[in-house]
Structures are given as C-alpha cells and as structure tokens.
C-alpha cells in the first residue's frame, strides 16, 4: 500500500467496488444522486472523498459538474478509468484542508467518510473547508451512521456486524475519545488475517455545532436519501447545512 494513500491504497482500491457492491447498485445510488442534483440547482458540486466515483459519476450524468478531493491516488485512478471519469476534476489532498479554485453550490461527503477524519479538530476543519468552498446560499451534505452505543452492554467495547465460516467483522468503541475501528478477521488457508481501519464516530448534534462554528445552519435532516423522517431509532442520517445567502 502506498503510504500517501493512507488506508485506501492499491490493495483496497483494487477490490473496493467489489467489496462494496451493494452500495453501487441503483437502489443505493439513484436516490442519493437525485437528491444531490436537486440541491446543486444547476451549479457545481464538490465531493470530499470522491474515491472511485460511486456518486460523482452518476451526478455528472445528471448534468452537475463535479470536482473531487481525495487522498488516494489508487482510488481516483479507478475513477479516471471508468466511462465518464475524465469529466470529474480531481485534486489529491486531505479533504479537511485542501482548497480548490472557485466556489460551489453544493459540497457533499457520503457513506460515513466524515468518520475517516479521526480527530475532532480535523472534522471541525472539514466543516470550515466546506463552508469556504460554498457560494452564499449553498449547502453542505453529510451521510453518516448514528453511533450504535446502545448495542454495548456494560463492560463491552466491541460490536460484531458480520459472522461467517471464513471470517468475522466487528467495530470497537472508545466512549471517552470517540475513537472507533472496524476490524476484519479472515481465515485464509487455516490462518487468520486481521485488518483494522480507524475512525472517529460523531453525533448529529456535534455535527450541528461544527456547522455553526463554520457559519452554517442545519436546514434538513432525514434518515436516508428518500427523505424518511429522522427519529431516535434511525441508524444513519443525511443532513443538510446551509451557508447564509447574505
């Protein structure tokens, strides 16, 4: 893996679309692209963590010019190789701080990618960076899960989410620092291989405060891209913050 690509180097990029195949289907992609295209309102969109183009490409097919920021050259190389990939502008860098020219009517960050920023300071910087790129009246959209701490009984720090004959996966949580990790144990030729990816979980109310620090306000929050109402039972949310028009 290329160190510059962090945890999304060549070994991950080569199989990313396959291992995340359920997220590339029309049922997952179309509602997100439709909602984002409506928010773009005919203007330009900036994707933070553009990856292999799961959302950027269908958004460009809806007539929205898209530019993406991503740390991983390996992931964005897959984007470039896809039909229409040359229409998406790409800047390599940390999306919490990297600036690109011009302004946008929409900045978006999907599929839990805000959690890839593993400190609160970096997440705050991300909101400020989004606001700096937005034109007045523009919107910043995040899709992310709600921390599932209610699944943790006293004294337990891990929650399994996949168990099978050839491997299992579990998340670990540190409720003091909000650090978490997704861990994958795979059996290969009778030997166990372990991979761990660090994250930082973040609450909806915490994100709202980050938005306020960046000069934005919450406009909408749904459970999903179909605008299902957000409730205390929702396991994820799609949130829309707005930069004031004046």
């Amino acid at each position: 893996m290329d160190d510059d690509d962090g945890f999304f180097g060549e070994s991950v990029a080569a199989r990313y679309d396959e291992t995340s195949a359920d997220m590339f289907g029309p049922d997952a992609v179309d509602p997100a692209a439709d909602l984002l295209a409506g928010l773009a309102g005919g203007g330009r969109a900036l994707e933070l963590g553009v990856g292999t183009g799961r959302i950027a490409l269908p958004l460009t097919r809806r007539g929205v010019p898209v530019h993406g920021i991503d740390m991983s050259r390996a992931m964005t190389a897959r984007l470039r190789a896809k039909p229409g990939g040359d229409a998406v502008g790409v800047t390599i860098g940390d999306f919490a701080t990297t600036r690109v020219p011009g302004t946008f009517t929409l900045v978006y960050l999907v599929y839990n990618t805000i959690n890839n920023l593993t400190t609160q300071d970096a997440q705050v910087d991300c909101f400020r960076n989004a606001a700096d790129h937005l034109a007045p009246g523009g919107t910043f959209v995040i899709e992310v899960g709600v921390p599932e701490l209610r699944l943790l009984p006293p004294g337990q720090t891990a929650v399994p989410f996949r168990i099978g004959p050839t491997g299992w996966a579990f998340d670990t949580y540190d409720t003091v620092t909000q650090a978490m990790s997704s861990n994958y144990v795979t059996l290969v030729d009778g030997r166990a291989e372990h991979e761990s990816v660090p994250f930082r979980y973040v609450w909806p109310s915490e994100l709202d405060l980050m938005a306020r620090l960046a000069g934005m306000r919450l406009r909408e929050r749904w459970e999903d891209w179909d605008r299902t109402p957000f409730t205390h039972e929702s396991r994820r949310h799609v949130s829309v913050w707005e930069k004031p028009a004046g």
Side-chain angles (χ1 to χ4, degrees):
M1 181 181 296
D2 186 339
D3 289 342
D4 291 339
D5 287 357
F7 290 92
F8 294 92
E10 182 60 35
S11 62
V12 172
R15 53 188 173 86
Y16 181 81
D17 288 14
E18 179 182 353
T19 56
S20 305
D22 56 331
M23 293 302 298
F24 282 80
D27 289 347
V29 170
D30 288 348
D34 289 342
L35 191 152
L36 292 170
L39 290 172
R44 302 169 67 214
L46 176 66
E47 180 169 359
L48 306 182
V50 67
T52 66
R54 184 180 70 91
I55 298 300
L57 290 172
L59 199 53
T60 61
R61 291 194 289 269
R62 285 162 172 79
V64 180
V66 179
H67 192 96
I69 300 174
D70 203 291
M71 184 75 75
S72 174
R73 290 175 172 82
M75 294 284 279
T76 56
R78 265 67 185 182
L79 161 62
R80 291 293 198 199
K82 294 178 180 179
D86 56 350
V88 179
V90 173
T91 298
I92 299 298
D94 180 351
F95 62 72
T97 56
T98 299
R99 288 298 308 271
V100 300
T103 57
F104 301 81
T105 60
L106 170 69
V107 179
Y108 66 95
L109 193 160
V110 299
Y111 199 23
N112 298 319
T113 305
I114 186 68
N115 292 345
N116 290 111
L117 301 174
T118 56
T119 67
Q120 187 182 68
D121 284 345
Q123 291 172 344
V124 169
D125 287 342
C126 179
F127 272 78
R128 288 175 173 151
N129 198 30
D132 287 344
H133 281 96
L134 282 173
T139 53
F140 180 37
V141 179
I142 285 182
E143 175 199 23
V144 66
V146 176
E148 297 190 306
L149 299 192
R150 288 191 297 176
L151 299 178
L152 286 175
Q156 183 172 316
T157 60
V159 175
F161 61 87
R162 185 187 308 146
I163 299 176
T166 60
W168 54 93
F170 59 94
D171 287 332
T172 62
Y173 295 88
D174 182 333
T175 57
V176 175
T177 64
Q178 293 180 216
M180 64 174 292
S181 64
S182 290
N183 299 269
Y184 304 87
V185 179
T186 306
L187 298 178
V188 180
D189 297 329
R191 295 174 58 87
E193 297 182 356
H194 176 239
E195 179 183 9
S196 181
V197 182
F199 300 104
R200 181 184 187 271
Y201 69 81
V202 62
W203 299 99
S205 57
E206 189 180 4
L207 293 171
D208 291 342
L209 182 56
M210 293 179 186
R212 289 180 61 187
L213 291 172
M216 297 183 288
R217 62 178 180 83
L218 181 68
R219 194 172 89 179
E220 303 280 359
R221 173 166 289 135
W222 304 288
E223 180 178 298
D224 53 33
W225 297 105
D226 292 317
R227 297 182 173 88
T228 302
F230 180 78
T231 73
H232 70 285
E233 295 292 342
S234 298
R235 300 181 67 180
R236 64 171 177 154
H237 60 99
V238 174
S239 296
V240 182
W241 297 274
E242 185 176 58
K243 184 174 182 176

